[in-house]
Amino acid sequence: MRYFDTRFLDEADEFIASLKPKTVKKILYNIDLAEQTNDPRLFKKLKKEIWEFRTKYEGLQVRLLAFWDKTNNEETLVIATHGFIKKVDKVPENEIDRAVRIREQYFRTKAKN
């Protein structure tokens, strides 16, 4: 059973493309697993409607921030906004704020279409 599908916005795609192939494989594996389970080690709510995909691989803490889009009754989407390598314990506020801005822009654009 799949709880949601994940879509990647351009910034998330660009971030993933900048990583080593093995790291990308691990991230995509974890996202696939998160879509099928309810595991906060893989996908967890931060705040302000922002969630994070969490991957630890070869000593790197890779984070992809995301939000839910449930406006289509046929499928539940999680939209990945952007990613970064986490260097401190907490996710930096500026990264969360950036994801919030991207989320707002996404829904504004979607409302126009």
Side-chain angles (χ1 to χ4, degrees):
M1 155 129 191
R2 193 170 288 280
Y3 294 101
F4 60 87
D5 286 309
T6 306
R7 301 282 184 275
F8 300 91
L9 298 180
D10 290 345
E11 283 188 56
D13 271 340
E14 290 164 17
F15 171 72
I16 289 171
S18 74
L19 301 170
K20 293 179 185 170
K22 282 185 175 179
T23 305
V24 172
K25 190 174 180 182
K26 177 70 173 178
I27 291 167
L28 296 178
Y29 172 82
N30 279 359
I31 289 173
D32 189 53
L33 210 54
E35 291 174 345
Q36 299 171 56
T37 60
N38 182 4
D39 187 344
R41 291 171 303 177
L42 298 172
F43 188 58
K44 158 183 161 186
K45 185 168 186 177
L46 293 173
K47 59 183 172 183
K48 301 179 187 169
E49 301 304 312
I50 302 301
W51 291 63
E52 67 175 346
F53 284 107
R54 306 159 55 115
T55 299
K56 187 172 185 175
Y57 186 71
E58 290 186 340
L60 293 177
Q61 296 272 355
V62 182
R63 296 293 185 263
L64 277 173
L65 299 191
F67 60 87
W68 292 84
D69 177 356
K70 298 179 183 177
T71 56
N72 176 344
N73 290 331
E74 293 165 27
E75 61 182 343
T76 300
L77 297 177
V78 168
I79 310 296
T81 59
H82 70 290
F84 59 95
I85 305 296
K86 196 171 96 160
K87 295 185 169 81
V88 293
D89 284 348
K90 283 189 160 192
V91 172
E93 275 303 313
N94 64 327
E95 297 291 356
I96 294 171
D97 292 343
R98 183 173 165 195
V100 168
R101 284 193 307 274
I102 294 169
R103 177 181 181 273
E104 289 166 354
Q105 179 62 45
Y106 170 88
F107 283 115
R108 270 197 306 272
T109 303
K110 189 168 183 170
K112 290 178 190 170
N113 295 336

